[in-house]
Amino acid sequence: MTAKRARNLAFAALVLIAAMIWIFPLYWALTTSLRTEGRIVSDSAGVLLDEINLAAYREVLSTSKLARWYANSIGTSLTITGIVLLFGMMCAYALSQLRFPGRRLLYLLIVGSFMVPVPALYVAQFVLMSDLGLINRAWGIILPQLIVPVVVIVYKQFFDAIPKEMREAVLLDGGGEFTLLFKLYLPLNWGITAALAIITFISAWNNFFWPFLVATSEDMMTIPVGITQVNDSFGVAYARMMALALLAAAPVILAYLVFQKRVTEAVMISAGVKG
Amino acid sequence: MTATGVHLEGVTKSFGAVDVIGGVDMQIGKGEFAVFVGPSGCGKSTLLRMIAGLEDTTSGSIHIGARDVTHEDPAKREVAMVFQSYALYPHLSVFENMAFSLRLARRPRKEVEEKVNRAAGILQLTDHLHKKPAQLSGGQRQRVAIGRAIVRAPEVFLFDEPLSNLDAELRVQMRLELARLHKALGTTMIYVTHDQVEAMTLADKIFVLKSGMVQQAGAPLDLYDDPVNRFVAGFIGSPGMNFLEATVSAHDTDGIRARPKGQPDLDLSVPITSRPAIDSAISLGMRPEHLTLTDGPGLQVTVDVAEELGGISYQYGALQDGSPVIFQQVGARHGLRGTVQNLLPEPGRIFAFDAGGQRVR
Ligand SMILES: Nc1ncnc2c1ncn2[C@@H]1O[C@H](COP(=O)(O)OP(=O)(O)O)[C@@H](O)[C@H]1O
Ligand SMILES: [Mg+2]
């Protein structure tokens, strides 16, 4: 009894330590953002939160194009999420339920596209976007991010698991493929749809490198790219940068707190697929 | 016969190189309750699904009423199907499950409510309309599946082993309800089962299938009294018919005499008009209720198990050579287990089959 209790305590302590290691960068960003720029680089800045100064936030909110970047981030991330889910779902439905020549090959190609690291495509994609005249355009940010094979693969697995009789019942009831997809397969998979939506949105929101390449004008930047704009004539402005980073992360953190269970589920499912 | 309900002509089905249905002709009258019965894997479901349009027809034609539906979409055939697994839509309420087809057809809201409520009334589901399928018992889910079919007012109802997921008591109850439903609606119904008791109790007309071929079609008692081959004779009736191998020992005016294997001093009279050659092999079929105890010579059966059901009992035993024999006793109270009994078939109640299993008449 007591041995078990001791083991539990030890385990709890271990988890607590691990959690503290994980949370420290966030904590550090918070303390830094609440200090004055001068204090951060001086020796007196310790680990404890001993100063609450909102100057960095005030500065960032008044001088940067934060509102604009927010709008850009929300717009591109929502568009990406919507299109990726809709097309991924339809593609998975076709692969899972329709019989057409080349179906298996197509599926293998999609699974295979997993193996290609996204950065390997940056140059080709940049040239393509540039040829299409989409540099510094929202669609230039969005289009390359629409390739998310994991969504297709996850949906296909879930669609495969739906009993054939249910499909046949809909056919007899007078439904066609669209009815099947939107009135049967989608409603039966709202849970996984929410999970996929959340991870797609978060990864689009957090994406830095691609928007950084495409959006060179301040007006087109997303939040993570915007953070790099915050420096003054003396160099990097740590407090302001951290304040901006926290503001950028806020929606994601909020989404995580609200949808905690779904996010965990989503990460586990896609990790399972990625193996 | 009345108007045509469903008519199949030369229907075949192959899955790749495998022929599953091999040339089926059948005529089901409008309003008839037809049952496909046969052992597992004989093609009952496949045939039903072909009528529903869920499987393509390889060759032959399928008519529903006067319409040739051989190449018609399932939805346009005006058939409704009740699946063994029920296949209810788990995310929709009972009401919406039943309303699904009407909603797809964009029927006015009032009509939808009226039809669903009427079906729910017939099936005693009125108190459950707002529930999800997961909150229902097996019997209730079964009723919802039937309700979904009723609401569409189809020309033909198709049932694929609808009761096999229910426990024994509920199965008997639902069987009665289905019989009542058929009476109330008067719609053509086709019902698939491997359970010959279900077939006997429900059917106006039974189609016995084996290996994708109709062995015999007819009213339940006609099949029982006059099977065309050994398969049908053995399949219809419970407990099943007894079969004994025998040789033809003599011809006489009323038929032939046959000597069961291992019973040198017993000649059974078999009333058939044909005259198979003396000494040729023949199978004799006798139903358990047609074997009676006798004091004189007869089939010597050692009884090892007795099923006493109160009114009747089934006695299970074997001849000296080990061939199993079942016979029925009515109202008897003397335990026969462990005893040796002499049995004779009632005169005229003996069927003969040739080596290929065909009935010899
Ligand atoms: N889609 C299919 N592909 C290949 N063979 C099939 C298919 N469906 C059924 N079969 C075969 O057809 C035969 C009849 O099946 P089925 O109609 O389900 O039998 P039953 O309903 O009488 O038990 C079985 O041997 C089965 O294996
Ligand atoms: Mg079957």
Side-chain angles (χ1 to χ4, degrees):
Chain A
M1 191 67 193
T2 44
K4 194 175 169 197
R5 217 182 127 80
R7 253 204 319 270
N8 282 346
L9 272 175
F11 183 69
L14 221 77
V15 170
L16 198 67
I17 291 168
M20 277 162 70
I21 294 172
W22 279 104
I23 200 123
F24 184 76
L26 196 63
Y27 166 80
W28 191 239
L30 187 70
T31 41
T32 306
S33 72
L34 291 171
R35 287 176 170 152
T36 52
E37 297 288 358
R39 180 98 195 291
I40 292 165
V41 289
S42 80
D43 290 341
S44 69
V47 174
L48 293 179
L49 176 63
D50 51 4
E51 185 182 357
I52 295 187
N53 186 326
L54 293 175
Y57 286 90
R58 233 174 281 128
E59 179 93 18
V60 161
L61 285 170
S62 62
T63 63
S64 76
K65 297 199 162 179
L66 186 66
R68 179 76 207 213
W69 298 335
Y70 253 124
N72 289 344
S73 269
I74 289 171
T76 53
S77 301
L78 279 183
T79 311
I80 289 167
T81 307
I83 297 179
V84 162
L85 285 198
L86 184 69
F87 281 69
M89 188 193 319
M90 295 200 293
C91 177
Y93 177 82
L95 291 171
S96 160
Q97 301 297 326
L98 306 182
R99 296 288 168 268
F100 54 90
R103 186 176 67 100
R104 287 182 57 84
L105 181 72
L106 198 60
Y107 185 59
L108 283 178
L109 275 176
I110 289 171
V111 173
S113 66
F114 245 161
M115 316 295 165
V116 184
V118 174
L121 302 173
Y122 280 159
V123 173
Q125 284 172 345
F126 190 86
V127 173
L128 183 64
M129 291 305 120
S130 155
D131 286 350
L132 292 172
L134 293 177
I135 301 300
N136 271 320
R137 293 287 167 87
W139 283 109
I141 296 174
I142 291 167
L143 282 178
Q145 295 193 64
L146 297 181
I147 308 162
V148 189
V150 68
V151 169
V152 177
I153 293 163
V154 169
Y155 265 130
K156 181 179 180 304
Q157 283 177 349
F158 278 77
F159 290 171
D160 283 348
I162 292 175
K164 192 177 76 166
E165 283 82 15
M166 256 176 228
R167 171 184 182 81
E168 293 173 342
V170 172
L171 288 177
L172 282 165
D173 273 348
E177 305 296 350
F178 270 89
T179 308
L180 277 164
L181 177 53
F182 291 105
K183 296 227 161 116
L184 184 70
Y185 287 78
L186 176 58
L188 286 181
N189 288 296
W190 274 130
I192 186 63
T193 300
L196 289 172
I198 292 162
I199 45 168
T200 310
F201 184 85
I202 290 179
S203 80
W205 184 277
N206 285 345
N207 195 350
F208 169 75
F209 201 73
W210 179 255
F212 175 72
L213 289 183
V214 177
T216 49
S217 100
E218 274 207 352
D219 276 345
M220 288 317 298
M221 286 176 182
T222 57
I223 283 215
V225 182
I227 297 173
T228 61
Q229 300 301 300
V230 187
N231 39 30
D232 55 20
S233 39
F234 301 107
V236 185
Y238 290 109
R240 275 168 273 169
M241 208 171 209
M242 288 305 133
L244 195 58
L246 285 173
L247 288 174
V252 175
I253 293 170
L254 214 69
Y256 180 75
L257 290 178
V258 175
F259 302 111
Q260 198 173 4
K261 223 178 103 201
R262 291 255 178 263
V263 178
T264 322
E265 190 180 293
V267 169
M268 280 176 33
I269 287 165
S270 61
V273 171
K274 280 171 182 162
Chain B
M1 171 162 284
T2 50
T4 304
V6 177
H7 177 62
L8 271 58
E9 212 175 303
V11 165
T12 69
K13 172 76 188 173
S14 314
F15 289 109
V18 186
D19 297 331
V20 171
I21 301 292
V24 166
D25 296 302
M26 56 173 63
Q27 179 84 36
I28 297 167
K30 196 171 168 61
E32 256 185 341
F33 199 122
V35 174
F36 298 171
V37 68
S40 181
C42 69
K44 308 177 294 287
S45 298
T46 305
L47 198 56
L48 193 74
R49 293 163 53 78
M50 286 164 77
I51 296 171
L54 296 172
E55 301 282 0
D56 295 334
T57 302
T58 307
S59 72
S61 71
I62 299 173
H63 283 77
I64 293 175
R67 294 175 297 135
D68 183 346
V69 297
T70 315
H71 303 290
E72 195 75 89
D73 281 342
K76 297 206 182 110
R77 297 190 179 198
E78 293 179 52
V79 299
M81 185 147 168
V82 175
F83 295 87
Q84 180 175 356
S85 60
Y86 316 140
L88 301 179
Y89 310 129
H91 58 296
L92 298 178
S93 66
V94 169
F95 185 97
E96 288 303 327
N97 260 280
M98 294 207 261
F100 197 81
S101 61
L102 300 173
R103 297 242 193 264
L104 285 186
R106 303 191 186 289
R107 309 306 306 168
R109 192 151 52 134
K110 229 184 116 222
E111 182 190 329
V112 174
E113 273 171 19
E114 218 173 84
K115 285 188 170 167
V116 173
N117 285 329
R118 185 161 359 113
I122 295 173
L123 296 164
Q124 295 148 34
L125 287 169
T126 310
D127 295 338
H128 306 289
L129 284 173
H130 58 281
K131 290 187 187 164
K132 292 276 171 65
Q135 296 166 276
L136 301 177
S137 70
Q140 289 166 338
R141 282 180 211 181
Q142 180 62 73
R143 287 203 193 93
V144 177
I146 295 170
R148 196 165 64 180
I150 290 179
V151 161
R152 292 182 44 206
E155 226 172 287
V156 182
F157 283 94
L158 306 174
F159 297 92
D160 193 352
E161 311 223 10
L163 307 186
S164 53
N165 285 346
L166 302 177
D167 61 48
E169 201 174 327
L170 206 52
R171 198 160 0 169
V172 174
Q173 188 190 327
M174 283 305 293
R175 203 166 74 197
L176 277 171
E177 284 187 31
L178 276 176
R180 289 203 185 98
L181 189 71
H182 177 244
K183 217 165 164 192
L185 298 175
T187 314
T188 313
M189 295 187 174
I190 304 179
Y191 185 103
V192 161
T193 179
H194 64 268
D195 178 352
Q196 61 90 25
V197 177
E198 268 176 33
M200 294 294 283
T201 50
L202 283 169
D204 294 322
K205 189 171 186 180
I206 294 181
F207 295 84
V208 181
L209 277 96
K210 184 193 168 198
S211 315
M213 302 288 279
V214 176
Q215 303 293 308
Q216 189 173 2
L221 292 182
D222 290 345
L223 299 195
Y224 190 84
D225 293 337
D226 194 11
V228 298
N229 60 29
R230 186 170 161 166
F231 177 78
V232 175
F235 197 82
I236 301 289
S238 171
M241 188 182 277
N242 298 295
F243 293 103
L244 297 180
E245 300 314 318
T247 49
V248 178
S249 57
H251 294 165
D252 64 20
T253 46
D254 309 326
I256 59 162
R257 302 194 73 83
R259 181 169 299 154
K261 219 170 68 185
Q263 308 265 322
D265 28 84
L266 188 64
D267 266 336
L268 295 173
S269 161
V270 185
I272 53 177
T273 50
S274 62
R275 293 289 179 268
I278 303 282
D279 283 341
S280 62
I282 195 167
S283 298
L284 303 179
M286 288 154 274
R287 293 210 180 272
E289 70 268 32
H290 296 142
L291 287 173
T292 48
L293 297 177
T294 173
D295 293 330
L299 299 164
Q300 262 188 23
V301 176
T302 311
V303 178
D304 61 352
V305 177
E307 283 181 356
E308 306 281 358
L309 302 176
I312 57 174
S313 67
Y314 296 112
Q315 313 287 333
Y316 293 79
L319 299 176
Q320 280 102 320
D321 69 347
S323 331
V325 172
I326 308 167
F327 64 99
Q328 180 185 315
Q329 294 257 279
V330 181
R333 282 289 183 276
H334 40 269
L336 295 181
R337 178 148 25 135
T339 64
V340 178
Q341 299 292 333
N342 283 358
L343 296 172
L344 276 182
E346 284 173 22
R349 299 293 204 154
I350 189 161
F351 300 103
F353 304 95
D354 65 19
Q358 290 307 304
R359 176 88 176 273
V360 180
R361 294 170 189 274

